[in-house]
Amino acid sequence: MQKKNIYSGVANKSDIAVVELDGNPSEIETGTELPTVLESLKYLFSYSDSVNKPIVVNLSLGEGNFINHACDGESIIDLAINELIDENPSGKIVVAAAGNLGLNEMHFEANIDYNDSANIRSTFTSTYNFSIWGEANTDFGIDFYIRTNETDTFFLISANTNEDKLLDTQIILNIDDKEINYDIILKSSNKHITNNRPNLHFKIYNEEKLQIDFTIFSYQNTTIHGWNNDRNKLYFYSDNVKNNSDYTISCPATAENVISVVGYFKVYDENFQEQDATVFSSKGPLTSGKIKPDITATGNILSALNGFITVGAIPVYDETTDGKHKFGYASGTSMSSPMVAGIVALMLEKKPDLTQKEAKEIIRITAINDQWTGNAKDNKSPIWGWGKINAQAIMKYLEETNINEELN
């Protein structure tokens, strides 16, 4: 008699289609032979049509840098995914992981007027990798300085967004009778192609690991958002600058039409009473003012384990599989997101023509609000979204509600 596995997934009778992706989700064309996110979505949507079945696509691939998007939902890939879903309104739903940057204070925000500036000091590191975005139809500039001690600084270079420019150069400074090399890449743009926002990205490398200070100035009253793509800590000596882990949702979970998922851990006491629910994942809102994420799901999952790739997972032995590693525990929004995708698959089983808009709205209005989430449904939490996903309430809603009358 054949034994059954003791583990199973949320939608364990679903068919699964897998596509290998190019590694950069925020670019549409990267010059590689692997398909991009958009190409993969088009293929999967086409495949679902060919087998006459609805489909939910999980994207556990958030990009942890902000070179190609300003966390505003208006990057090229965000808009392209929105358009593709609009063209395929029913039976095709996309779920995406928000990323795991909620414990990294890699974001800073500065409110600047033309009489003031924002002064920022880095940690000691050999590489500095920042992306900085301003408000649409404004300009800003940056002056860079090398700091050798608490009092001495040396001017390094300036950059300005009033022109589109790419600078790849080496600068040699003579500091205390010693030559120090700096490899510098600066890319500035007056207006991004999709959102008209000025942006400046820089990488500065030096082996001496000297501190770099930079002063951001503007010609108008404006708000600047910046991200340290290396996630190192920053120090500020201006009152108008603050750092936090807000505005860190990764692309393409920033897309309006995507169901964006964050994750949390439950913490129990010795009596198995829930004591806390800690959100570890990237946080909203978007810099456009819109609220993301949409929903929260548990972030520690036991799942099928790839026999060839076990990195990041804790293998679990199942006696029904002859001691082979068939399952494993893993954590992160890359696990929370497929949990939601599995629930969406059950929703599509009930209503195959469910639209992305309907699926998102049902998930939101049935979400659990408790002592940890607060009144997230009304307040639209940038940490919890609309609350914790509630599969039982979702299925009951689908059974008892005329969606066409209730939601449309």
Side-chain angles (χ1 to χ4, degrees):
M1 180 178 176
Q2 186 178 6
K3 295 181 180 179
K4 292 184 178 180
N5 291 329
I6 61 175
Y7 307 121
S8 63
V10 177
N12 58 354
K13 295 183 179 180
S14 299
D15 295 331
I16 298 177
V18 179
V19 178
E20 184 178 9
L21 283 176
D22 179 85
N24 189 347
S26 66
E27 292 283 2
I28 289 184
E29 294 185 12
T30 59
T32 71
E33 295 181 357
L34 293 175
T36 63
V37 171
L38 191 63
E39 290 168 338
S40 301
L41 285 175
K42 288 180 177 179
Y43 166 78
L44 291 169
F45 283 6
S46 175
Y47 176 77
S48 75
D49 288 335
S50 71
V51 296
N52 195 29
K53 292 182 178 181
I55 188 171
V56 53
V57 181
N58 176 66
L59 300 176
S60 288
L61 42 76
E63 182 188 27
N65 69 63
F66 296 83
I67 296 173
N68 299 300
H69 76 105
C71 196
D72 60 0
E74 297 181 20
S75 71
I76 294 174
I77 189 62
D78 285 330
L79 299 180
I81 289 175
N82 288 341
E83 183 177 349
L84 181 63
I85 293 174
D86 286 339
E87 292 171 353
N88 297 269
S90 63
K92 296 179 176 65
I93 298 171
V94 180
V95 178
N100 306 313
L101 302 173
L103 301 180
N104 297 87
E105 293 188 348
M106 61 182 293
H107 167 264
F108 64 87
E109 182 177 353
N111 297 312
I112 307 173
D113 63 44
Y114 62 92
N115 290 320
D116 201 357
S117 61
N119 300 300
I120 299 168
R121 182 175 298 174
S122 67
T123 55
F124 291 98
T125 181
S126 59
T127 304
Y128 303 86
N129 180 6
F130 288 85
S131 297
I132 301 175
W133 295 75
E135 293 181 296
N137 303 311
T138 65
D139 283 310
F140 66 91
I142 303 180
D143 292 331
F144 296 91
Y145 301 87
I146 306 303
R147 178 173 291 277
T148 57
N149 54 50
E150 284 300 312
T151 58
D152 296 332
T153 59
F154 296 82
F155 176 75
L156 179 62
I157 196 172
S158 285
N160 204 304
T161 62
N162 60 14
E163 60 179 339
D164 295 340
K165 190 174 183 179
L166 176 60
L167 179 66
D168 188 349
T169 188
Q170 184 181 72
I171 293 178
I172 301 176
L173 291 183
N174 191 305
I175 300 177
D176 295 332
D177 297 323
K178 181 179 180 180
E179 287 189 349
I180 300 179
N181 295 319
Y182 291 89
D183 295 314
I184 300 173
I185 298 176
L186 288 170
K187 181 182 179 183
S188 62
S189 175
N190 177 253
K191 292 182 179 180
H192 187 265
I193 189 172
T194 62
N195 59 20
N196 289 326
R197 296 176 70 167
N199 54 93
L200 193 149
H201 314 278
F202 64 90
K203 287 186 178 182
I204 301 177
Y205 177 80
N206 82 100
E207 293 183 352
E208 300 296 323
K209 295 187 178 181
L210 294 176
Q211 274 190 333
I212 288 186
D213 295 354
F214 51 99
T215 298
I216 306 175
F217 57 90
S218 179
Y219 308 104
Q220 306 93 2
N221 296 345
T222 188
T223 298
I224 302 291
H225 287 276
W227 292 265
N228 182 352
N229 294 315
D230 290 329
R231 306 172 196 175
N232 295 316
K233 188 172 178 60
L234 298 172
Y235 303 93
F236 306 96
Y237 46 108
S238 291
D239 293 335
N240 56 348
V241 185
K242 58 182 178 180
N243 66 310
N244 50 44
S245 56
D246 300 339
Y247 305 99
T248 50
I249 293 181
S250 298
C251 176
T254 44
E256 172 67 22
N257 286 348
V258 166
I259 298 174
S260 306
V261 183
V262 290
Y264 73 102
F265 293 134
K266 290 184 178 181
V267 180
Y268 297 93
D269 63 16
E270 64 275 8
N271 298 316
F272 297 100
Q273 297 297 311
E274 186 176 342
Q275 294 298 302
D276 194 5
T278 302
V279 176
F280 56 85
S281 43
S282 300
K283 300 175 184 177
L286 303 186
T287 57
S288 61
K290 295 181 179 179
I291 293 296
K292 283 283 187 175
D294 296 301
I295 198 68
T296 308
T298 181
N300 193 23
I301 304 293
L302 176 66
S303 181
L305 183 63
N306 188 326
F308 298 97
I309 305 174
T310 59
V311 176
I314 302 174
V316 174
Y317 290 96
D318 179 356
E319 61 181 7
T320 64
T321 57
D322 299 324
K324 294 181 180 179
H325 293 356
K326 295 294 184 181
F327 301 92
Y329 283 103
S331 301
T333 57
S334 287
M335 303 303 288
S336 305
S337 184
M339 170 64 77
V340 172
I343 295 171
V344 172
L346 297 178
M347 297 171 71
L348 288 169
E349 185 178 35
K350 285 283 187 183
K351 191 177 189 303
D353 62 344
L354 195 70
T355 68
Q356 181 87 10
K357 181 179 178 181
E358 290 170 343
K360 182 186 290 189
E361 185 63 17
I362 292 169
I363 287 172
R364 286 174 169 180
I365 63 179
T366 57
I368 296 170
N369 280 187
D370 58 17
Q371 59 180 320
W372 314 116
T373 68
N375 191 12
K377 290 182 190 177
D378 291 336
N379 297 332
K380 315 299 185 292
S381 169
I383 298 175
W384 294 92
W386 273 247
K388 302 174 183 176
I389 195 163
N390 188 341
Q392 185 177 31
I394 288 170
M395 302 313 292
K396 183 178 180 181
Y397 185 95
L398 286 170
E399 290 172 356
E400 298 179 353
T401 306
N402 185 327
I403 292 175
N404 292 330
E405 293 182 359
E406 186 77 16
L407 299 181
N408 299 316

